[in-house]
Amino acid sequence: KPYKAILVAVLERKLEFSKVALIDISGIIVYYISAVFLAWSGWGVLSLIISVIFKEIAECSIAFSINPWVPKKIAVNKSIIKIIHYGTFVQIGSIITHIHNSSIPVIAGMTANPLAIGLLNFSSNALMFPNSLAQNFGRVALPGFSRIQEDKLLLSRSIKKSISILNLLIFLFIALVFGYSSDLMKIF
């Protein structure tokens, strides 16, 4: 997956989002076809795990065929050591966050009923929506901003418009949550 991320990042940098979409859609198709086939073949729950592996292999293969890139051996200098040192702490923080987020439903599952666990997962996913929106927007917008970085006025206007659009979308999400909160409370 990290290798695929590099290949996809290069495509995003080149603003070739149609190729990124092709990689993602192909992986989804491989996942669902293999999951259904393996489930029908009697693999049970393992079919979902094996399908993820097939999906990752297919996406990596397609990404490499679209954008072949082979890592090169380089000399290690002080700047690379600093980057690796910083990256180590970022990765450790990411692993701890993943363990924390993954353990909450398990701990709640031992002490609460299925309805409470469902509410916990729903609220967690709902809270992640604005963050996910901003990340996906950045994934698309930042390569475009890097292309116009020489024109400071255009870059400034583009960033201001982007922030305005993001704020509007997040405000609409908050308004929907507050608007339907009484209906959600009646359900639960």
Side-chain angles (χ1 to χ4, degrees), residues 104-187:
I104 289 175
V106 174
I107 293 169
M110 293 187 295
T111 60
N113 61 19
L115 177 63
I117 296 169
L119 287 173
L120 178 66
N121 283 335
F122 172 77
S123 63
S124 175
N125 290 335
L127 286 173
M128 292 304 294
F129 176 75
N131 186 33
S132 177
L133 180 69
Q135 284 180 347
N136 288 327
F137 187 83
R139 183 178 175 191
V140 173
L142 290 178
F145 292 159
S146 71
R147 296 287 179 157
I148 61 171
Q149 66 184 335
E150 306 304 324
D151 187 351
K152 301 296 183 193
L153 182 63
L154 178 61
L155 179 63
S156 175
R157 281 188 290 175
S158 299
I159 290 173
K160 286 178 185 176
K161 271 190 178 177
S162 298
I163 291 171
S164 298
I165 291 169
L166 276 176
N167 285 338
L168 177 66
L169 291 172
I170 291 172
F171 175 77
L172 289 174
F173 172 74
I174 292 170
L176 283 171
V177 168
F178 279 115
Y180 287 105
S181 62
S182 62
D183 295 331
L184 288 172
M185 296 312 293
K186 288 176 190 174
I187 294 172

Side-chain angles (χ1 to χ4, degrees), residues 11-98:
L11 290 172
E12 288 174 351
R13 174 70 173 99
K14 295 177 181 176
L15 301 176
E16 295 179 356
F17 293 108
S18 61
K19 293 179 181 175
V20 174
L22 174 70
I23 294 167
D24 290 340
I25 291 170
S26 300
I28 291 168
I29 291 169
V30 167
Y31 172 79
Y32 283 112
I33 289 173
S34 61
V36 169
F37 176 75
L38 290 170
W40 272 341
S41 300
W43 285 84
V45 176
L46 276 177
S47 64
L48 299 174
I49 296 167
I50 295 169
S51 296
V52 170
I53 295 169
F54 287 162
K55 171 188 168 290
E56 293 300 328
I57 291 170
E59 286 180 346
C60 193
S61 301
I62 294 167
F64 183 77
S65 68
I66 290 173
N67 183 28
W69 177 78
V70 179
K72 296 176 185 171
K73 190 173 184 177
I74 58 171
V76 177
N77 60 26
K78 290 182 180 181
S79 63
I80 292 176
I81 292 173
K82 287 180 184 178
I83 291 171
I84 291 172
H85 181 71
Y86 174 76
T88 302
F89 292 111
V90 171
Q91 288 299 322
I92 290 170
S94 177
I95 291 168
I96 290 171
T97 301
H98 180 71

